[in-house]
């Protein structure tokens, strides 16, 4: 199947912008709450992924993310991650990811914007911009930042501001090619980023269940899982 249906206005210095969601990490074995009716591996999202949950039971939240971090460190990048990294051999590539894992980086991608933080770092409970790398999978209660506050996961919880959203919108506005991979487009404000991409820019969506995108014409839909659709599209883009 030929996914590139026409000659793209894309040169070697073209800006390729890719927005990735839970679907690409799920193929590496990382579970998500994408279709879990408010539950994440048996936990109520309100208990483990909100500021209120942290205030109510920080030890529970810490343990939950320690287990997620352990799973991330045990997981490996898949064919879709590696294919996206390969695009850098020819194009200027920026990956904007909704995922909190580091699989894009481990696959070789060098320009990754994490909208919702990254689980392999901690942050101050007082000052979110004060972050630290985590050695291993466990962040313990009693580990403090330099301001004396408890360290928490460097993850944007529901109800918190998304500090990188304006940067991501600016990146999308300069795209020469836009690819959406493995996102259901239900998490706001990330779901609105496609609307910042110029109207005349080619846009691809790769997902077994193509989400509905309102007000964006001429989307090329690749109804495949990421490990199938992404390598095929990348092969065609590399051959241009």
């Amino acid at each position: 199947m030929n996914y590139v249906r026409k000659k793209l206005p894309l040169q070697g210095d073209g800006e390729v912008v890719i927005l990735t969601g839970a679907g690409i990490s799920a193929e590496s074995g990382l579970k998500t709450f994408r279709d879990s009716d408010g539950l994440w591996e048996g936990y109520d999202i309100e208990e483990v992924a909100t500021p209120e949950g942290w205030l109510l039971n920080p030890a529970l939240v810490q343990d939950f993310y320690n287990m997620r971090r352990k799973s991330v460190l045990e997981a490996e990048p898949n064919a879709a991650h590696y294919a996206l990294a390969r695009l850098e051999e020819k194009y200027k590539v920026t990956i904007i990811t909704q995922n909190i894992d580091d699989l894009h980086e481990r696959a070789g991608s060098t320009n990754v914007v994490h909208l919702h933080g990254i689980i392999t770092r901690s942050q101050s409970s007082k000052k979110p911009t004060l972050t630290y790398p985590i050695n291993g999978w466990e962040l313990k209660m009693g580990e403090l930042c330099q301001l004396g506050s408890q360290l928490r996961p460097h993850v944007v919880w529901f109800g918190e501001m998304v500090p990188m959203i304006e940067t991501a919108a600016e990146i999308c506005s300069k795209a020469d090619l836009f690819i959406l991979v493995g996102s259901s487009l239900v998490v706001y404000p990330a779901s609105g980023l496609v609307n910042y991409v110029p109207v005349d820019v080619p846009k691809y969506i790769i997902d077994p269940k193509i989400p509905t995108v309102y007000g964006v014409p001429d989307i090329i839909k690749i109804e495949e899982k990421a490990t199938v659709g992404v390598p095929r599209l990348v092969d065609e883009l590399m051959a241009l």
Side-chain angles (χ1 to χ4, degrees), residues 8-11 13-17 92 171-178 197-198 200-203:
L8 296 177
L10 189 67
Q11 304 300 319
D13 58 350
E15 300 265 357
V16 179
V17 177
K92 182 177 180 182
I171 292 168
C172 288
S173 73
K174 297 177 179 178
D176 296 305
L177 178 70
F178 179 81
V197 181
D200 59 342
V201 166
K203 303 169 187 70

Side-chain angles (χ1 to χ4, degrees), residues 82-142:
Y82 285 115
L84 293 179
R86 189 160 61 91
L87 274 177
E88 293 188 20
E89 297 173 11
K90 186 170 185 178
Y91 302 107
K92 182 177 180 182
V93 179
T94 302
I95 294 176
I96 302 167
T97 186
Q98 298 172 259
N99 301 328
I100 58 174
D101 58 68
D102 62 348
L103 296 180
H104 283 300
E105 288 90 342
R106 283 199 269 148
S109 292
T110 62
N111 191 15
V112 183
V113 175
H114 284 269
L115 281 180
H116 300 144
I118 185 165
I119 199 170
T120 53
R121 296 188 70 86
S122 64
Q123 74 180 51
S124 166
S125 295
K126 287 184 178 180
K127 187 177 181 181
T129 57
L130 190 57
T131 72
Y132 306 85
I134 298 173
N135 184 20
W137 61 270
E138 189 174 18
L139 180 61
K140 298 178 180 179
M141 297 303 297

Side-chain angles (χ1 to χ4, degrees), residues 16-50:
V16 179
V17 177
I18 303 146
L19 175 61
T20 66
I24 193 170
S25 294
E27 290 198 67
S28 288
L30 296 180
K31 296 182 180 179
T32 75
F33 54 81
R34 177 170 172 168
D35 298 308
S36 59
D37 298 323
L39 296 177
W40 188 357
E41 295 197 352
Y43 290 83
D44 189 321
I45 291 171
E46 294 291 328
E47 294 180 348
V48 296
T50 64

Side-chain angles (χ1 to χ4, degrees), residues 66-84:
N66 283 339
M67 292 299 101
R68 305 290 77 70
R69 190 177 301 108
K70 191 172 187 291
S71 295
V72 165
L73 294 177
E74 291 172 350
E76 296 292 340
N78 61 50
H81 294 106
Y82 285 115
L84 293 179

